[in-house]
């Protein structure tokens, strides 16, 4: 047996860590270039206002301030507006109107960071406040002010209507239903708040005409293409794509918040092109939290129909989606509501009908991402809450109701009522394991005893189905760019290799896991493989890392490229072994002659021969590129059980235990997968209990700093428990499915279900998240249960 | 302009600085030690944590002039003579980091805790890092990393150091 190369299923320690634990990471703000200037941004105090004047004279008089850029300046170059990823438009800088609080109004360019900030304080802007549109329901009223009068073809704040499923059949099933349950659910705005904010260093070289931008981006290639297209339409003139280099260096967390193009990137780039100096722009936290894109903001009316025996027959959902002032979601172009219609979840029901209406309000772009950009979190919340509501109505155990309605394993591939084809699943297996492992029956007994004593304990279940790996090019594109992904592998003569991938890492450990794929497929030790990503001058084209797509797409491409190399290597091995290629097999990480395994060659032997002794007539070298277009999405799933205790004095919800059983198919690195799940659970707990962004009636954000927007700390976060089942994806080259956002999607309804379960005997049927102590305490007070 | 001298990781750094210069900017931009990060503007996240005369402090909320003459330790000072500090080994071995942005601050808080309390309970570790936010790891492995570093510091045995 060959030695362990560190391939699939090994918890290989991370290759990126040696630099991070020494403080030697290369984050964007760490970069300093000669002659570099700094940019800082003037922002709007109003949610909706006319700009009557901008006076920059005092700022310009400050020594060190070189320029103040306004929307009028950009407009002269046709750069005041930019496209969003959903083919809407968004202001880079306003010409005469602001449409959300903290919107960029002007940019100050200075020789030093502190001087740029001083300059910002000296720019005088006069506003004439306009009535803001804050409530998305009122926004649809014909008397509402218009958020986007620039859309001359529209006289409404309504953006689009989208629907999916069979309306007639769904309505019929609801009419015939023995039991119908219904809840209004609001998933509030939340913000990803990666600990590193956004920023860039843009550097335009006037001699070569080359623009290099180091940027906190999750999708460098797409940015390069968009920049080239946007300059083509501007008065600057097109910067050809080969003269644009986007570098995404080490990124301090992304979670989807670093997919969009923010105005700051564009202004800094324009400033560098115009001054010929490198320009650095780094947001501070308040700017990041107040102005960058937000997630969720879905107002959902969810209905479930069924029979008295517990058979679920149909789902109906009507949704109002608050997109803020621009439809800037990071969805694939053909999916205005993302993949929200996966909301029939893990249950075999006959029909479903889902409607979503997008609405403009005077808020920063919403509906973008929070460790899930394609609306799967919303979908899972809707179905997992309403299934629990049905169990409550029928007075049956929520686990039993789920077991009765799961799509059975033999029904895969399963066609969902809204048109998705689930690749594989064993939902009952995962839930059964979770129930056994946590001791479900004992916990129900304990709950009954406690309830009799007046103590409040809840058990919440969530058995979610995820949908990731976007996506197959026949339906998935972003601004027309198909959502395949890529890998390029070069094996060096002495048996080491470099891998370059089209996706990029923001902490997921790609330098390690992608090396493991190559190690497994080529039998080269993982230590001998280096992974490069994030530099558009060297990496093959790809759509980037978000929505758990790296392993399903670029991971597949990496395996396929390696297999191309193995095919060629086999011919070289046959030549070296003086055997026919048909007699050579790959086993024990080496090529061996069938029936005579001692006659063998390693990949290192073959690599050396590929450059020193390749068969005549064959091309020398050993390398391959693969662009992988997935045949379908992958459908990871999980069964989560959450135990909560409620403090009757404070109303605080304490998570006593939380067990996550995940199934993401075959796993490359169990340590990294577990880490992703821990992080995802924490980002699921956060909106369930702590985080929400709200606005007052004037459109003022009420959680604009980390003092008010409460990220979980080590004190609230429980010691997560994890386990797994393994149902490989039948169509992925090594049976993987992707896992990054599963836990963020699955945790919130598990927690909400646990809290409602703890209070269900009081008649509580639903609580909107975040479930704050205040909300719970109010219920306790109403029922005379609050302890003083 | 004010003259400031700071000893950072045992090396003297002197500069004429504006009195308003934040310590974190002195460290990052005057001393060019970029391992210390900035994650907020309200002293909430701890990404900027350094040790000042051995005690953890958030360097984004101190002026360089306020700590004139102090001994400062940053993440770059943890490794000594090519040997990783046990806290660094703990984070590496227990997968205590993902994006790495919060890690320098977390490690310095962990080190200070272990020097004061060599055998902390899980609750004590959680309390010690409660002023430092991590958005990636969910804290479980950070707690394990600090616990494992404590074990190493209590019984110093030779462990393999990861190399760059
Ligand atoms: S940067 Fe200092 S606490 Fe956040
Ligand atoms: S590892 Fe990313 S913030 Fe902690």
């Amino acid at each position: 047996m060959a030695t362990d190369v560190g391939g699939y299923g090994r918890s290989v320690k991370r290759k990126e860590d040696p630099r991070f634990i020494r403080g030697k990471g290369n984050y964007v703000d760490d970069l300093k270039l000669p002659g570099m200037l700094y940019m800082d941004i003037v922002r709007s105090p109003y949610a909706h206002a006319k700009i009557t004047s901008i006076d920059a004279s005092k700022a310009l008089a400050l020594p060190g301030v070189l320029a103040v850029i306004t929307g009028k300046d950009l407009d002269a170059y046709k750069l005041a507006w930019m496209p969003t990823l959903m083919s809407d438009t968004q202001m880079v800088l306003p010409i005469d109107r602001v449409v959300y609080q903290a919107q960029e109004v002007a940019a100050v360019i200075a020789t030093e960071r502190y001087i740029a900030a001083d300059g910002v304080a000296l720019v005088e802007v006069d506003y004439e406040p306009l009535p803001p549109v804050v409530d998305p329901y009122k926004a649809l009223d014909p008397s509402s002010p218009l958020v986007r009068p620039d859309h001359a073809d529209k006289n409404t704040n309504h953006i689009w209507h989208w629907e999916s499923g069979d309306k007639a059949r769904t309505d019929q099933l609801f009419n015939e239903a023995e039991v119908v349950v219904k809840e209004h659910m609001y998933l509030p705005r939340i913000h990803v708040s990666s600990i590193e904010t956004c920023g860039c260093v843009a550097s335009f070289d006037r001699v070569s005409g080359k623009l290099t931008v180091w940027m906190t981006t999750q999708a460098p290639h797409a940015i390069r293409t968009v920049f080239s297209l946007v300059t083509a339409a501007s008065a600057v003139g097109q910067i050809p794509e080969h003269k644009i280099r986007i570098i995404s260096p080490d990124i301090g967390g992304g979670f989807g918040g670093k997919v969009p193009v923010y105005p700051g990137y564009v202004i800094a780039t324009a400033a560098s092109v115009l001054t010929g100096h490198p320009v650095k722009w780094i947001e501070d936290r308040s700017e990041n939290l107040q102005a960058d894109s937000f997630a969720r903001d879905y107002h959902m009316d969810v209905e479930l129909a069924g029979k008295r025996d517990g058979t679920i027959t149909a789902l109906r959902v009507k949704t109002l989606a608050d997109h803020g002032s621009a439809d800037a979601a990071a969805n694939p172009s053909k999916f205005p509501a993302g993949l929200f219609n996966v909301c029939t979840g893990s249950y075999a029901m006959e029909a479903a009908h889902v409607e979503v209406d997008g609405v403009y309000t005077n808020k920063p772009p919403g509906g973008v991402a929070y460790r899930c950009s394609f609306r799967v979190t919303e979908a899972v919340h809707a179905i997992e809450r309403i299934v629990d509501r049905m169990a409550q109505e029928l007075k049956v155990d929520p686990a039993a109701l789920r077991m009765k309605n799961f799509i059975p394993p033999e029904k895969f591939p399963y066609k969902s009522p809204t048109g998705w084809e689930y690749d594989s699943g064993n939902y009952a297996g995962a839930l059964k394991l979770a129930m056994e492992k946590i001791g479900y029956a004992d916990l129900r007994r304990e709950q009954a005893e406690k309830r009799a004593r007046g103590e409040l304990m809840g058990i919440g279940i969530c058995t979610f189905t995820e949908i990731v790996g976007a996506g197959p090019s026949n339906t998935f594109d972003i601004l027309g760019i198909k959502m395949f992904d890529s890998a390029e592998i070069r094996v060096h003569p002495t048996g080491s290799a470099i891998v370059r991938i089209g996706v990029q890492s923001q902490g997921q450990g790609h330098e390690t896991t992608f090396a493991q794929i190559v190690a497994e497929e080529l039998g080269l030790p993982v230590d001998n493989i280096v992974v490069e990503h994030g530099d558009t001058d060297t990496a093959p084209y790809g759509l980037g890392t978000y929505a758990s797509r790296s392993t399903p797409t670029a991971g597949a491409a990496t395996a396929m490229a390696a297999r191309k190399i193995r095919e060629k290597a086999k011919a070289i091995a046959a030549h070296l072994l003086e055997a026919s290629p048909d007699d050579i097999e790959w086993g024990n990480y080496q090529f061996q002659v069938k029936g005579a395994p001692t006659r063998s060659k390693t990949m290192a032997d073959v690599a050396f021969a590929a450059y020193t002794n390749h068969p005549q007539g064959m091309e020398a070298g050993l390398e391959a590129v693969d662009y992988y277009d997935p045949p379908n999405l992958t459908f990871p799933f999980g069964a989560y059980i959450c135990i909560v205790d409620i403090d009757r004095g404070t109303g605080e919800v304490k998570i006593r235990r939380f067990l996550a059983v995940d199934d993401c198919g075959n796993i490359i690195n169990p340590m990294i997968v577990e880490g992703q799940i821990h992080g995802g659970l924490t980002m699921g707990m956060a909106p369930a209990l702590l985080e929400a962004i709200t606005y007052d009636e004037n459109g003022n954000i009420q959680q604009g700093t980390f003092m008010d927007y409460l990220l979980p700390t080590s004190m609230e976060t429980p010691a997560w428990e994890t386990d797994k089942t393994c149902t490989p994806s039948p169509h992925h080259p090594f049976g993987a499915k992707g896992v990054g956002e599963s836990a963020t999607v699955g945790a919130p309804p598990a927690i909400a279900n646990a809290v409602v379960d703890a209070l269900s005997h009081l008649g509580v049927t639903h609580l909107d998240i975040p479930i704050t102590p205040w909300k719970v305490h109010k219920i306790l007070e109403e029922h005379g249960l609050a302890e003083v | 302009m004010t003259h400031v001298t700071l000893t950072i990781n045992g090396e003297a750094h002197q500069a004429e600085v504006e009195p308003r210069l934040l310590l974190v900017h002195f460290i990052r931009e005057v001393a060019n030690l970029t391992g210390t990060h900035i994650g907020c503007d309200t002293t909430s996240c701890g990404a900027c944590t350094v040790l000042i005369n051995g005690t953890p402090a958030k360097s984004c909320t101190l002026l360089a002039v306020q700590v004139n003459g102090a001994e400062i330790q940053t993440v770059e000072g943890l490794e000594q003579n090519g040997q990783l500090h046990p806290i660094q080994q703990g984070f590496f071995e227990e997968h205590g980091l993902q994006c790495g942005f919060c890690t320098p601050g977390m490690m310095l808080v962990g080190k200070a805790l272990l020097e004061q309390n060599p055998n902390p309970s899980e609750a004590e570790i959680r309390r010690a890092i409660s002023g430092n936010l991590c958005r990636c790891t969910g804290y479980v492995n950070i707690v394990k990393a600090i616990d494992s570093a404590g074990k190493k510091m209590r019984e110093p045995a030779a462990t393999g150091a990861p190399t760059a």
Side-chain angles (χ1 to χ4, degrees):
Chain A
M1 184 73 197
T3 49
D4 186 2
V5 294
Y8 296 146
R10 307 294 196 286
S11 286
V12 172
K13 300 280 182 249
R14 298 204 325 164
K15 285 168 168 279
E16 35 279 271
D17 289 357
R19 68 176 183 274
F20 290 144
I21 57 175
R22 291 175 168 92
K24 298 290 182 199
N26 301 297
Y27 302 92
V28 173
D29 196 16
D30 299 344
L31 186 71
K32 239 190 212 179
L33 297 177
M36 188 168 79
L37 305 175
Y38 293 83
M39 181 176 102
D40 206 340
I41 292 178
V42 180
R43 290 176 184 273
S44 168
Y46 295 104
H48 198 190
K50 256 176 101 149
I51 298 172
T52 49
S53 74
I54 299 178
D55 180 355
S57 55
K58 287 195 184 123
L60 287 166
L62 190 71
V65 170
L66 304 181
V68 175
I69 302 173
T70 66
K72 290 203 170 118
D73 299 326
L74 291 185
D75 196 38
Y77 296 97
K78 294 199 193 124
L79 280 173
W81 290 84
M82 64 179 180
T84 71
L85 294 178
M86 290 307 286
S87 300
D88 194 358
T89 51
Q90 183 183 346
M91 295 178 208
V92 178
L93 285 174
I95 298 165
D96 55 6
R97 237 164 126 260
V98 287
V99 290
Y100 57 90
Q101 191 183 44
Q103 186 181 338
E104 298 78 357
V105 170
V108 176
I109 311 293
T111 50
E112 285 177 37
R113 199 186 286 260
Y114 284 41
I115 297 175
D118 290 341
V120 164
L122 291 172
V123 175
E124 290 171 358
V125 186
D126 280 334
Y127 299 92
E128 196 179 295
L130 297 167
V133 181
V134 182
D135 180 327
Y137 286 94
K138 289 190 191 145
L140 291 176
D141 193 295
S143 66
S144 169
L146 287 183
V147 177
R148 296 294 300 267
D150 54 292
H151 286 322
D153 53 328
K154 270 192 175 198
N155 199 24
T156 166
N157 290 316
H158 184 258
I159 313 174
W160 42 254
H161 173 83
W162 171 88
E163 58 183 86
S164 167
D166 184 339
K167 179 167 170 35
R169 184 67 189 131
T170 302
D171 289 347
Q172 191 185 0
L173 285 164
F174 268 87
N175 290 336
E176 292 165 1
E178 294 169 9
V179 50
V180 171
V181 287
K182 179 174 180 161
E183 290 293 344
H184 180 82
M185 304 179 194
Y186 176 50
L187 259 66
R189 249 178 196 241
I190 47 175
H191 190 271
V192 293
S193 294
S194 50
I195 304 300
E196 178 198 40
T197 60
C198 297
C200 67
V201 176
S203 178
F204 183 70
D205 181 330
R206 280 189 171 159
V207 177
S208 65
K210 180 143 183 170
L211 171 69
T212 306
V213 189
W214 290 261
M215 183 171 178
T216 50
T217 177
Q218 295 176 230
H221 281 99
I223 299 285
R224 184 185 72 191
T225 303
V226 171
F227 270 27
S228 188
L229 293 172
V230 167
T231 52
S234 77
V236 177
Q238 180 166 27
I239 306 181
E241 204 167 342
H242 69 287
K243 293 205 171 179
I244 301 178
R245 180 181 187 187
I246 308 293
I247 299 174
S248 178
D250 288 328
I251 301 294
F255 316 112
K258 289 171 180 167
V259 173
V261 176
Y262 295 116
Y265 298 133
V266 180
I267 311 165
T269 302
S272 179
V273 172
L274 299 178
T275 61
H277 282 270
V279 175
K280 180 186 270 193
W281 166 68
I282 305 288
E283 297 172 320
D284 62 30
R285 174 59 56 188
S286 315
E287 298 178 284
N288 172 265
L289 193 47
Q290 292 170 24
D292 288 1
S293 63
F294 292 83
R296 319 285 183 257
D297 225 343
Y298 255 30
H299 302 257
M300 308 184 289
D301 285 299
V302 187
E303 294 174 276
L304 194 65
K307 298 188 189 155
R308 281 269 149 221
D309 71 357
T311 308
I312 295 170
T313 54
L315 173 76
R316 196 158 58 191
V317 188
K318 275 193 182 16
T319 300
L320 201 58
D322 187 341
H323 279 262
S325 57
D327 185 11
N331 293 326
S333 307
K334 295 185 186 65
F335 299 83
L339 313 184
F340 181 64
N341 62 343
V342 76
C343 57
T344 57
S346 310
Y347 313 102
M349 63 188 76
E350 195 191 323
H353 187 245
V354 183
E355 292 176 70
V356 186
D357 287 277
V359 176
Y360 288 128
T361 57
N362 286 116
K363 299 169 196 166
V368 181
Y370 180 106
R371 206 169 180 145
C372 164
S373 46
F374 297 167
R375 304 292 193 183
V376 187
T377 313
E378 291 88 330
V380 167
H381 206 85
I383 185 70
E384 289 301 312
R385 269 273 53 241
I386 204 71
V387 164
D388 251 46
R389 177 73 189 85
M390 178 67 93
Q392 190 179 2
E393 184 74 17
L394 295 172
K395 301 195 170 52
V396 297
D397 187 284
L401 187 76
R402 285 178 166 81
M403 286 290 190
K404 184 175 173 69
N405 287 285
F406 280 144
I407 301 157
E410 63 275 11
K411 284 271 168 67
F412 291 89
Y414 168 81
K415 192 93 176 165
S416 89
T418 53
W420 299 108
E421 187 179 292
Y422 295 9
D423 58 349
S424 63
N426 180 359
Y427 304 140
L431 180 55
K432 203 162 155 275
L433 174 64
M435 289 169 74
E436 276 163 17
K437 183 144 188 184
I438 204 154
Y440 187 75
D442 287 346
L443 286 162
R444 283 285 174 210
R445 270 192 290 279
E446 181 193 339
Q447 182 189 29
E449 284 164 25
K450 288 207 159 140
R451 199 169 270 183
R453 289 203 299 268
E455 290 172 42
L456 299 173
M457 162 186 169
I459 304 168
I461 300 175
C462 169
T463 46
F464 65 91
T465 287
E466 247 274 56
I467 173 170
V468 304
S473 66
N474 53 355
T475 35
F476 285 80
D477 68 84
I478 285 189
L479 291 175
I481 308 167
K482 301 293 189 185
M483 293 187 76
F484 52 77
D485 231 290
S486 62
E488 175 200 281
I489 304 171
R490 290 184 188 167
V491 183
H492 306 316
T494 50
S496 60
I498 181 165
V499 188
R500 290 179 168 131
I501 49 180
V503 295
Q504 198 280 341
S505 166
Q506 311 102 40
Q508 295 90 337
H510 287 170
E511 289 170 43
T512 309
T513 49
F514 282 75
Q516 287 182 260
I517 298 171
V518 175
E520 177 74 30
E521 298 287 342
L522 295 185
L524 296 172
V526 71
D527 286 346
N528 287 3
I529 299 161
V530 66
V531 175
E532 270 188 17
H533 53 52
D535 182 341
T536 58
D537 262 11
T538 58
Y541 206 97
L543 264 279
T545 297
Y546 41 86
S548 300
R549 68 184 296 278
S550 287
T551 299
T553 60
T558 305
M560 298 309 272
R563 288 173 195 179
K564 286 180 190 171
I565 286 176
R566 212 162 68 197
E567 233 2 77
K568 176 171 181 182
K570 187 177 173 184
I572 300 175
H575 163 75
L576 296 176
L577 291 164
E578 295 177 346
S580 148
D582 293 341
D583 291 332
I584 301 290
E585 62 183 6
W586 174 254
N588 296 333
Y589 299 121
Q590 59 185 2
F591 294 106
Q592 50 201 33
V593 177
K594 284 181 191 159
T598 48
R599 286 183 60 204
S600 63
K601 290 288 169 194
T602 63
M603 189 60 74
D605 298 333
V606 170
F608 195 67
Y611 297 89
T612 59
N613 175 26
H614 63 285
Q616 285 309 298
M618 183 191 277
E619 196 178 341
L622 201 54
E623 60 183 70
V625 182
D626 189 80
Y627 278 74
Y628 186 78
D629 187 355
N632 188 9
L633 298 142
T634 57
F635 295 78
F637 58 94
Y640 291 0
I641 301 182
C642 171
I643 314 298
V644 300
D645 297 304
I646 290 175
D647 184 322
R648 284 178 44 197
T650 61
E652 189 190 354
V653 173
K654 281 219 152 64
I655 298 179
R656 188 204 310 173
R657 286 183 71 190
F658 194 112
L659 169 66
V661 172
D662 270 279
D663 192 321
C664 57
N666 288 335
I667 286 174
I668 304 167
N669 185 319
M671 174 189 85
I672 287 177
V673 165
E674 191 194 41
Q676 288 284 306
I677 293 168
H678 286 172
L681 290 169
T682 310
M683 289 185 82
M685 177 189 85
L689 297 180
L690 297 162
E691 296 174 12
I693 297 282
T694 56
Y695 295 84
D696 71 10
E697 69 278 12
N698 294 316
N700 295 309
I701 189 169
Q702 293 176 309
Q703 299 80 5
T705 73
F706 274 173
M707 306 291 275
D708 313 293
Y709 189 68
L710 304 177
L711 271 59
T713 74
S714 54
M715 301 305 281
E716 301 83 35
T717 309
W720 305 112
E721 300 167 54
T722 59
D723 206 335
K724 54 179 170 275
T725 56
C726 180
T727 312
S729 169
H731 65 75
H732 184 273
F734 52 93
K737 286 190 169 186
V739 74
E741 64 183 35
S742 281
T744 305
V745 163
I751 296 167
N753 286 347
V755 180
V756 173
D757 183 59
L759 303 171
S760 60
H761 59 298
L762 308 176
V764 174
T765 60
H766 178 72
L767 278 170
D768 275 336
I769 59 170
I771 303 173
T772 55
W774 183 81
K775 273 186 200 167
V776 176
H777 198 265
K778 233 174 53 171
I779 295 169
L780 298 178
E781 269 182 346
E782 280 163 18
H783 291 87
L785 283 173
E787 266 169 7
V788 266
Chain B
M1 289 291 190
T2 312
H3 189 83
V4 169
T5 306
L6 295 176
T7 308
I8 308 180
N9 306 325
E11 227 178 85
H13 292 262
Q14 307 198 26
E16 296 292 323
V17 303
E18 280 189 79
R20 64 173 175 170
L21 184 74
L22 295 172
L23 175 59
V24 70
H25 285 138
F26 188 102
I27 294 169
R28 287 180 53 82
E29 293 182 7
V30 179
N32 287 317
L33 295 166
T34 54
T36 304
H37 299 146
I38 302 171
C40 73
D41 40 29
T42 47
T43 324
S44 308
C45 77
C48 62
T49 306
V50 297
L51 302 185
I52 301 180
N53 302 325
T55 303
K58 292 179 174 176
S59 63
C60 69
T61 322
L62 283 164
L63 304 172
V65 293
Q66 280 178 288
V67 291
N68 194 5
E71 293 263 356
I72 291 178
Q73 190 179 26
T74 70
V75 59
E76 289 92 345
L78 285 172
E79 185 178 11
Q80 292 289 326
N81 308 319
Q83 182 67 35
L84 288 179
H85 189 277
I87 196 80
Q88 292 171 301
Q89 293 174 18
F91 273 73
F92 176 71
E93 285 162 16
E94 300 297 333
H95 188 30
L97 62 149
Q98 291 182 24
C99 78
F101 205 74
C102 70
T103 313
M106 288 284 184
M107 291 194 302
L108 290 165
V109 169
K111 173 179 184 263
L113 169 71
L114 294 172
E115 278 166 1
Q116 213 195 16
N117 177 359
N119 193 4
S121 65
E122 178 182 340
E124 285 169 331
I125 296 174
R126 283 183 176 266
R127 184 161 298 279
I129 59 170
S130 64
N132 292 59
L133 296 174
C134 175
R135 200 57 156 166
C136 302
T137 66
Y139 303 106
V140 175
N141 289 347
I142 292 180
V143 173
K144 277 193 205 158
I146 296 172
D147 185 58
S148 132
K151 288 200 182 94
K152 281 188 216 299
M153 285 165 76
R154 292 198 297 279
E155 8 171 314
T159 33
T163 49

